[in-house]
Amino acid sequence: MTIGVVVFPGSNCDRDVRWATEGCLGMKTRFLWHETTDLGGLDSIVLPGGFSYGDYLRCGAIARFAPLMSSLIDFVKSGGKVLGICNGFQILTEIGLLPGALTRNQKLNFICRDVSLKVTSSRTNWLNGYNHGEHISLPIAHGEGRFQCSLNTLNQLKENDSIALQYTDGNPNGSIENIAGITNSEGNIFGLMPHPERACDSMTGGIDGKRILEALIGTN
Amino acid sequence: MIESPLFAVDYDVPLALSEEGLKETDYSEICRRLNRAPNRTELGMFGVMWSEHCCYRNSRSLLKGFPTSGPRILVGPGENAGVVDLGNGQRLAFKIESHNHPSALEPFQGAATGVGGILRDIFTMGARPIALLNALRFGPLEIESNIGLIQGVVAGIAHYGNCVGVPTVGGEVSFDKSYSGNPLVNAMSLGLMETDEIVCSGAKGVGYPVIYVGSTTGRDGMGGASFASAELTKSSLDDRPAVQVGDPFLEKGLIEACLEAFKSGDVIAAQDMGAAGLTCSCSEMAAKGGLGIELDLDLVPARESGMTPYEFLLSESQERMLFIVKPNHEKKVMDRFTRWGLNAAVVGRVLKDNVVRVLHKGKIVANLPASALAEDTPVNFHELMQDIPDNIKDHWDWDESQLPKASTEGIVPINGELSDKQISWNKILLKMLDNPTIASKAWVYRQYDYQVQGNTIISPGLADAAIIRLRPQQEYISTSLNNRGIAAVVDCPNRWVYLDPERGGLAAVAEAARNLSCVGAKPLAVTDNLNFSSPEDPIGYWKLALACRGISKACTTLETPVTGGNVSLYNETRLLDGSIQPIHPTPVIGMVGLIEDLNKICSQAWLSEGDQVLLLGVPFDNELNLDSRVSLSASSYLEYIHDLITGRPPEVDLALEVKIQTFLRKAIRQGLVSSAHDVSDGGLAVSLAESCISSSMGVNIDLPVNDLRVDRLLFAEGGARIIISISPEKHAMFYSLLNEFNSELTDPISTISIGHVNSTSKLMIKQAESIFINLSISELDEKFNYALSRRIDKDQLVDDFQGTIN
C-alpha cells in the first residue's frame, strides 16, 4: 500500500502531506516528480497544496500540461483514488476531473485560519470515518478558493451527492452553497480547499484531518 | 592583455559622484587606492559598495560595541546570516533585514522582495528557511495613503512568503505619524541547517569555476543600495525602477536546488545577490577569500539585450546567486538548477590576485582590488554630542503630577477629544484596545500562511512569541528531536527610544527576552535592525549611538550576543513645508530562544477557571515613594488617551529582568504555569484584557489597597512585569520553587496574587469596594479584534470571521 505525492515546481505542501501520511499515520509514501509518467504500485495519489508553476496565468492552469497528468488520467480511469488539496483541487478542476472552478476569494485577501465544516456526503469512503452531518475543524490557507459553477453543475453535484464538505459558521471565501470540497460522480476523486494534512498532528493543533488521509488506503 | 577601456575617464566627475552618492573625499580615496582614476563603471561599483547599506560607513564604530560571541554562537556578524548551536546536532541560521525605502515607493514589490532577500541570506548558508517574522511601522490609518501602504506591504509579504512555502509566524505592527511617508518593513527569517558544513562566502581554489544560478539579470533595481541610503523626497517616486520585482516561484526552486547542490559537496562557496548584485557578490567573495574573481558579463544570463557593464554590475534583479564550485563538477551543479527551471551558467573563475576583474565583449571593463571595494571601506566620523538635546530634556521634565486628578470613576483627558468631561476607566480601556498599535493584528496575520511546513506550535496572536518545532523537513519519522522548538520574536518600543534612546534600546532587548521567557524559551541570540534617520544630523547620530549603547548593555547582561543584522539610515521625509520629519528611532530586536520540551510551553490565554493570577516584577509602590522602574511617562496611555508623547521612559532594571525571566522559565519547564503574558503597551489592564480575549475566560482582579493614582495602577508600563496564572493543584509546588529560588537571592523577586480566572466572561478590576473596570469579553473583543479592519476595510462589511480566534 503506497501513496504517491506529486511534486510540481512550486508545490509547497508536498512534504507536509508526507509528514502526515507517513510520519503521523504510518502509511508508506513516495514523491512523484511532475515529469514522471510511472505511477506503478500506487494505491492513491495526492495533488498537494502550493503554487504549482507559480500559479501563473491561473491557479493550476499550467500544471494540467505536466507530463505526469496523462498518466494521472489513466490512473483515475482505472479506478485509482486521487485527493486534491487546495492547489491540487484547483488543478483537478482545471484539468476537468472535477467540475466547477476556484476563483479569487470574495474579499480578495489570502486567508489563513481554522474553519468549521460539515460533512455532507457519506456516499464515498473518503468521509466514511466521519458521521454524516458531523462538524469538524480544518485549516484553510488560500487566496483563490471560491468555488463557482453553473446552476446545472450545482444541481448535478447535488443529485450525485457529490458535495462532500461545506463551510458552516460563515463562508470564508464566497463559495457557492458554502462548498469546501466535492467528489466526482465515480467517487474516486476528492478535491477540497481545506488542508487535512495540517490537522493530523496533535502537537500543532486539531486532528480532524486524519480520517480523510486514512481513506487514501481504503477501498471505495 | 586586451586593449581596455579601463582608463577612460569620460564622465563629469562631480555629477557622477552625486549620482552615486559618493563624496569628493571618497573620490580621492578611490584614486589613491587604484593609483588612477576609476572609469564610470568602476565608480558605480564603489558607489554601491561604499553606501551605508553595504558597508555601514556611519554606524560601524557603534556596532563594534555589540557583544558578538558566546558558547552557542557558530557564526557571528559578517556572513550572510548568524548561526547558533541548538545542541543535538541542530544549528539555526537567522537574520533580519529592512526594505524600507523600496516599500515606501512600491509597497507590494518592496515588501515582497524584502522577504525574498532575507530568505536567500538564510539558505545561502545551507539552512532551510523554517519561519518568517516581520516588524512593520506605518503612519496613522486616518491618512488614506497609509491604508494603501499597509494593504500593499501585507499583500506583498503574503504573496512572497505564502508562495515560497515558508510560514510567517509572528511579528509586530505599530503606528506613529513619524512613519507617514516612510514606513518600515523589516523581515526576519530563521532556518535550520541541512548541510554538515556551514556554507561560507569566501572564494577558494585558484582557477575554480564561478557559476551564476537563478533568475536572469535585467535593468530592474538599478542602484537600489545607494537609493536606500538617501532620504525620501517627493521626487523619490521617480526612482521606482530602483525597486526590484520578485518571483517567489523561482525562489522556491532556488531553495530546493541550492540545498541539493550544497549537500552534494560540489559547492565551495556561495553568495546571494542582494544589494549591489554582481558587484557585491564578486567583491565580497574575493575579499573574504583573499583571492580574485574574473567575471565575463557576456556569459551572464540576461533578460534584456544591450545592457551596459554598468547595468549588469549594478542590477538588483532578484533570485540570483553566485557559487564557486569544484572543477569538473560544473555540469552536475548546473543540472540541479535547470531541473528546477532555473538558469545556470559558468560566468568566470577564481584568480590568484585579489582583484575583481570584469570582462565585456572581450575587453576588461573593470579591474579593482577586491579589498579596495569591500574592505577598509571609508568611515564617516560623527562627533557624539555630550549634552542631552534640549527637546529631550524638556520631555524628561514631565511627571505624573501634570495629569488631571484621577478619580475611582475616571479622568478628564488633557488633550483628548472629550476634554470637558470625565471619561470612565471602562471607556479608556476600550479606547486603548481599539488603538491600532495595541489592537489585534489578525487582519495582518490571517493573510499569511502561518502553518505551511507543519511545525507551527502556536498560532499568531495567542502568545508572546512564535514557536516553531525543530523537525527536519526531510525526515518523515517521529523522533525525540521533534519535541524541541525554537521561539522567535521581534520587538521595539519606538516611543521609548524616541524619548530616551538608551533606555529604549535596553527595553527593546529586555522585552524581546521577556517575550521569549513567557513562552518558556531560553533566549539565545539577537539579530538587530537599526532603523534611524540621518546620522549627519547631530541629534540623529546621538539617538543612534545611545540606542546602540543600550542594546550592547542589555545583550551583554542577558547573554544574548548579536550575530548580525542590518542598518537602515536616512529614514525621514521632507514635508511640504520643506522641513525634515525623521522617524522615531526604531532599533528592532529580533531574538531567538530554545525550547527543550514543547510539552512545557505557555500561551497568554487563561487556561482554567479557578487559576490564581499573579503579578511578577516590580510590585505596586506608593505615592510618597514612586518606583522609577514603573511609570506613566512615555506610556501608551499618555499617548492614546491624553494625546501626549512625552516623559522619560521608566528605568530598565536588567538584573531584575534576568531574575524574573530565569524564575519564570524554571516554573514553566516544571509545568507549574498555566499562562504567561508580559505587561507592555497599555500596562496591566491591557495585558489582562488580552489574556481574557485569547481565552474567552473572565478574571476577577482585586488590587491591593494603596494611594496610587488609578491610571498608574491600570496603565503604567515597565518594571519587568509579567502576569501569570497557576492552577490550585500546582500552588504548593509553585511556591516551593519560588522560595527555593528566592532563598539564594539577596533581593528576592516579588509575586503578588491579584485575582482569579473565572467563568463569568467578564474582566473585572477593582480595589476594595471601588470597581475600576467591569467589561464583558465580547465588548473587549469587539474593540480589539476589529480595530484594524474597521479602519482598513471601512467600506466593506466587517468580516464576521475576523473576530473569532481559532
Side-chain angles (χ1 to χ4, degrees):
Chain A
M1 299 299 246
T2 304
I3 295 161
V5 179
V6 181
V7 182
F8 299 103
S11 293
N12 64 27
C13 299
D14 44 339
R15 294 192 182 92
D16 301 11
V17 170
R18 186 162 171 189
W19 166 249
T21 55
E22 199 166 280
C24 301
L25 298 169
M27 294 151 52
K28 202 174 158 205
T29 306
R30 69 177 158 101
F31 289 128
L32 305 170
W33 184 242
H34 67 121
E35 286 171 331
T36 188
T37 50
D38 175 15
L39 305 181
L42 295 171
D43 294 276
S44 53
I45 292 174
V46 181
L47 301 179
F51 293 73
S52 55
Y53 307 94
D55 274 352
Y56 290 130
L57 198 58
R58 204 167 57 234
C59 298
I62 304 177
R64 61 179 292 196
F65 298 109
L68 179 134
M69 279 303 167
S70 54
S71 308
L72 186 86
I73 290 171
D74 293 340
F75 181 82
V76 166
K77 279 184 187 154
S78 62
K81 297 178 74 166
V82 174
L83 177 66
I85 302 167
C86 199
N87 191 228
F89 185 16
Q90 293 162 344
I91 294 168
L92 290 171
T93 59
E94 275 290 333
I95 203 170
L97 287 173
L98 286 174
L102 293 143
T103 63
R104 194 85 186 262
N105 293 346
Q106 192 169 20
K107 281 174 187 152
L108 305 181
N109 291 343
F110 188 97
I111 307 170
C112 182
R113 55 168 323 227
D114 287 355
V115 294
S116 299
L117 296 155
K118 191 161 97 173
V119 177
T120 49
S121 166
S122 39
R123 179 176 64 94
T124 67
N125 91 323
W126 286 112
L127 295 159
N128 266 355
Y130 306 88
N131 296 319
H132 190 86
E134 185 175 338
H135 285 257
I136 62 172
S137 171
L138 294 177
I140 55 167
H142 59 246
E144 302 179 40
R146 182 183 193 184
F147 184 78
Q148 302 212 56
C149 63
S150 68
L151 207 56
N152 273 347
T153 306
L154 184 66
N155 288 332
Q156 196 75 55
L157 285 171
K158 285 181 183 168
E159 236 164 72
N160 291 346
D161 188 18
S162 278
I163 300 174
L165 278 178
Q166 284 176 302
Y167 301 107
T168 59
D169 196 17
N171 183 337
N173 51 28
S175 290
I176 189 165
E177 293 270 322
N178 301 320
I179 289 175
I182 57 172
T183 54
N184 62 343
S185 52
E186 290 76 18
N188 60 333
I189 303 178
F190 182 24
L192 76 169
M193 287 315 295
H195 287 267
E197 83 280 11
R198 295 185 183 186
C200 289
D201 181 343
S202 55
M203 191 156 256
T204 55
I207 52 164
D208 279 351
K210 263 189 178 180
R211 288 168 281 174
I212 292 174
L213 297 187
E214 277 164 353
L216 286 166
I217 52 170
T219 47
N220 273 315
Chain B
M1 197 197 273
I2 317 158
E3 188 214 335
S4 103
L6 260 190
F7 309 110
V9 187
D10 50 356
Y11 56 91
D12 176 342
V13 175
L15 177 68
L17 287 175
S18 110
E19 282 168 357
E20 300 302 339
L22 289 166
K23 302 170 181 206
E24 270 178 48
T25 49
D26 292 334
Y27 188 74
S28 8
E29 176 64 18
I30 292 166
C31 294
R32 193 189 62 77
R33 290 185 183 200
L34 300 182
N35 240 337
R36 62 176 170 87
N39 64 36
R40 185 67 187 82
T41 302
E42 291 171 329
L43 190 72
M45 294 168 75
F46 277 103
V48 287
M49 291 302 290
W50 287 11
S51 67
E52 176 65 29
H53 190 86
C54 289
C55 82
Y56 307 114
R57 60 188 297 164
N58 291 293
S59 55
R60 207 179 321 148
S61 61
L62 301 174
L63 303 180
K64 274 191 192 146
F66 290 163
T68 56
S69 59
R72 284 190 183 268
I73 308 301
L74 300 175
V75 175
E79 282 292 341
N80 286 300
V83 181
V84 288
D85 186 356
L86 303 177
N88 291 17
Q90 291 184 309
R91 292 153 299 158
L92 184 86
F94 72 110
K95 170 102 178 275
I96 194 165
E97 197 160 87
S98 66
H99 239 211
N100 302 335
H101 287 71
S103 304
L105 305 186
E106 217 296 62
F108 184 93
Q109 286 298 343
T113 53
V115 173
I118 195 64
L119 289 171
R120 279 193 297 287
D121 281 338
I122 300 302
F123 66 79
T124 306
M125 307 289 290
R128 178 178 295 279
I130 56 168
L132 284 163
L133 292 92
N134 46 70
L136 310 178
R137 297 284 186 290
F138 300 98
L141 295 175
E142 284 65 37
I143 300 171
E144 201 60 35
S145 58
N146 291 325
I147 293 181
L149 284 172
I150 190 173
Q151 284 174 323
V153 164
V154 171
I157 292 170
H159 164 70
Y160 209 100
N162 298 354
C163 183
V164 83
V166 179
T168 301
V169 294
E172 55 155 10
V173 188
S174 38
F175 302 86
D176 181 83
K177 68 174 189 310
S178 69
Y179 304 110
S180 256
N182 194 135
L184 301 186
V185 177
N186 295 177
M188 174 174 165
S189 182
L190 282 61
L192 201 51
M193 292 294 302
E194 285 192 356
T195 54
D196 296 335
E197 301 291 325
I198 295 165
V199 183
C200 289
S201 54
K204 280 181 211 151
V206 175
Y208 280 21
V210 174
I211 290 186
Y212 168 113
V213 297
S215 184
T216 48
T217 296
R219 289 190 175 96
D220 50 329
M222 295 294 308
S226 338
F227 147 73
S229 305
E231 83 189 44
L232 288 172
T233 61
K234 269 250 160 206
S235 67
S236 299
L237 284 173
D238 302 337
D239 283 332
R240 255 179 291 199
V243 181
Q244 316 84 334
V245 175
D247 185 342
F249 167 64
L250 287 184
E251 180 111 329
K252 166 71 173 154
L254 200 55
I255 294 176
E256 302 298 340
C258 280
L259 292 177
E260 284 170 16
F262 296 156
K263 279 186 252 184
S264 73
D266 295 334
V267 179
I268 306 286
Q271 172 76 45
D272 83 296
M273 287 186 233
L278 278 166
T279 298
C280 188
S281 52
C282 287
S283 38
E284 291 275 342
M285 292 181 98
K288 280 192 189 138
L291 295 170
I293 285 189
E294 182 180 80
L295 175 70
D296 186 345
L297 297 176
D298 298 328
L299 303 174
V300 171
R303 85 178 56 143
E304 299 171 70
S305 58
M307 284 174 63
T308 64
Y310 181 94
E311 289 168 334
F312 267 112
L313 288 165
L314 300 189
S315 160
E316 292 193 2
S317 291
Q318 298 288 291
E319 293 91 23
R320 302 178 302 159
M321 319 256 287
L322 213 55
F323 292 165
I324 290 161
V325 304
K326 282 184 189 161
N328 305 321
H329 290 240
E330 299 92 321
K331 180 159 184 328
K332 223 176 108 196
V333 171
M334 293 196 295
D335 283 349
R336 294 181 191 279
F337 288 84
T338 46
R339 181 171 177 265
W340 285 97
L342 300 164
N343 293 283
V346 177
V347 293
R349 63 194 170 103
V350 177
L351 302 175
K352 185 163 162 288
D353 299 334
N354 184 222
V355 295
V356 174
R357 182 178 301 148
V358 184
L359 310 177
H360 184 241
K361 297 191 192 299
K363 290 182 176 166
I364 298 175
V365 291
N367 194 34
L368 300 170
S371 54
L373 271 171
E375 302 206 327
D376 305 319
T377 50
V379 173
N380 291 359
F381 178 76
H382 300 283
E383 185 121 25
L384 177 59
M385 52 190 284
Q386 294 307 310
D387 294 333
I388 299 157
D390 287 342
N391 83 321
I392 297 281
K393 272 196 226 154
D394 293 344
H395 282 303
W396 290 2
D397 285 340
W398 187 92
D399 68 33
E400 286 165 20
S401 68
Q402 296 175 42
L403 280 171
K405 193 173 171 300
S407 74
T408 54
E409 280 87 43
I411 195 167
V412 179
I414 303 174
N415 296 332
E417 297 149 23
L418 300 160
S419 52
D420 54 340
K421 70 172 196 244
Q422 174 165 284
I423 56 173
S424 68
W425 299 121
N426 275 343
K427 285 214 173 113
I428 287 172
L429 177 58
L430 291 174
K431 189 164 184 215
M432 303 271 288
L433 294 174
D434 183 50
N435 184 279
T437 296
I438 289 181
S440 163
K441 304 304 181 297
W443 183 90
V444 175
Y445 62 71
R446 286 272 162 74
Q447 297 187 51
Y448 303 147
D449 187 341
Y450 52 79
Q451 299 174 318
V452 65
Q453 296 192 7
N455 290 319
T456 305
I457 300 298
I458 292 189
S459 297
L462 289 182
D464 283 10
I467 302 179
I468 291 290
R469 171 171 56 184
L470 287 167
R471 177 174 65 83
Q473 279 292 290
Q474 282 169 309
E475 286 171 24
Y476 304 101
I477 306 162
S478 225
T479 69
S480 61
L481 281 182
N482 293 344
N483 216 23
R484 307 175 86 225
I486 198 84
V489 71
V490 283
D491 221 311
C492 179
N494 49 270
R495 190 189 317 105
W496 286 26
V497 189
Y498 165 68
L499 292 166
D500 185 334
E502 185 170 0
R503 284 190 181 175
L506 287 163
V509 178
E511 184 170 339
R514 203 182 319 126
N515 285 332
L516 293 178
S517 297
C518 279
V519 299
K522 174 154 177 43
L524 295 180
V526 159
T527 178
D528 66 303
N529 206 137
L530 304 176
N531 307 277
F532 283 77
S533 52
S534 168
E536 279 141 44
D537 169 54
I539 296 179
Y541 186 75
W542 178 83
K543 288 177 181 168
L544 177 63
L546 268 78
C548 287
R549 189 185 289 172
I551 292 169
S552 296
K553 277 187 197 168
C555 285
T556 305
T557 309
L558 296 171
E559 296 176 339
T560 51
V562 179
T563 63
N566 175 251
V567 179
S568 169
L569 302 178
Y570 306 96
N571 287 288
E572 48 197 31
T573 324
R574 192 178 290 274
L575 301 176
L576 289 175
D577 65 5
S579 63
I580 297 279
Q581 174 186 273
I583 60 159
H584 274 186
T586 314
V588 172
I589 298 299
M591 196 184 279
V592 294
L594 184 64
I595 296 175
E596 293 286 356
D597 181 359
L598 284 173
N599 296 305
K600 302 285 164 53
I601 57 172
C602 262
S603 85
Q604 69 186 36
W606 306 130
L607 199 63
S608 310
E609 190 186 328
D611 282 1
Q612 185 183 13
V613 179
L614 302 176
L615 177 67
L616 308 188
V618 173
F620 298 109
D621 42 9
N622 58 63
E623 284 293 345
L624 283 176
N625 196 9
L626 290 180
D627 195 313
S628 55
R629 294 171 299 176
V630 173
S631 178
L632 284 175
S633 292
S635 67
S636 308
Y637 167 76
L638 216 53
E639 177 175 353
Y640 306 144
I641 305 303
H642 298 285
D643 206 16
L644 289 174
I645 298 182
T646 193
R648 186 172 194 193
E651 232 170 84
V652 179
D653 183 344
L654 291 176
L656 179 67
E657 291 280 1
V658 170
K659 281 190 285 188
I660 298 281
Q661 293 180 29
T662 307
F663 170 71
L664 177 62
R665 289 196 304 269
K666 271 186 191 224
I668 293 175
R669 190 70 206 277
Q670 294 188 19
L672 304 177
V673 183
S674 299
S675 72
H677 188 22
D678 84 319
V679 175
S680 89
D681 283 357
L684 186 70
V686 166
S687 285
L688 290 165
E690 287 169 346
S691 293
C692 290
I693 294 166
S694 298
S695 60
S696 299
M697 296 176 85
V699 71
N700 196 349
I701 300 294
D702 205 346
L703 296 172
V705 175
N706 53 37
D707 59 354
L708 288 176
R709 298 175 56 92
V710 177
D711 41 11
R712 183 175 170 93
L713 272 173
L714 296 177
F715 303 114
E717 295 171 14
R721 284 176 168 178
I722 298 169
I723 293 169
I724 64 168
S725 62
I726 54 171
S727 97
E729 294 98 79
K730 307 274 174 70
H731 193 267
M733 285 165 75
F734 177 86
Y735 280 98
S736 125
L737 179 74
L738 177 67
N739 291 337
E740 186 195 313
F741 188 85
N742 272 339
S743 69
E744 287 167 22
L745 300 175
T746 45
D747 189 10
I749 62 172
S750 151
T751 63
I752 308 168
S753 174
I754 55 172
H756 289 89
V757 178
N758 60 38
S759 58
T760 58
S761 300
K762 273 193 162 198
L763 168 64
M764 169 86 88
I765 305 178
K766 56 183 181 148
Q767 184 179 46
E769 297 310 308
S770 309
I771 295 173
F772 303 143
I773 303 281
N774 182 9
L775 288 164
S776 72
I777 295 174
S778 59
E779 286 171 282
L780 302 173
D781 187 278
E782 206 276 324
K783 290 292 176 202
F784 185 75
N785 282 321
Y786 294 87
L788 286 191
S789 54
R790 247 194 305 275
R791 289 168 174 85
I792 299 171
D793 305 327
K794 47 188 185 280
D795 49 344
Q796 293 183 24
L797 283 176
V798 173
D799 182 350
D800 53 347
F801 265 58
Q802 296 275 353
T804 48
I805 291 186
N806 295 324

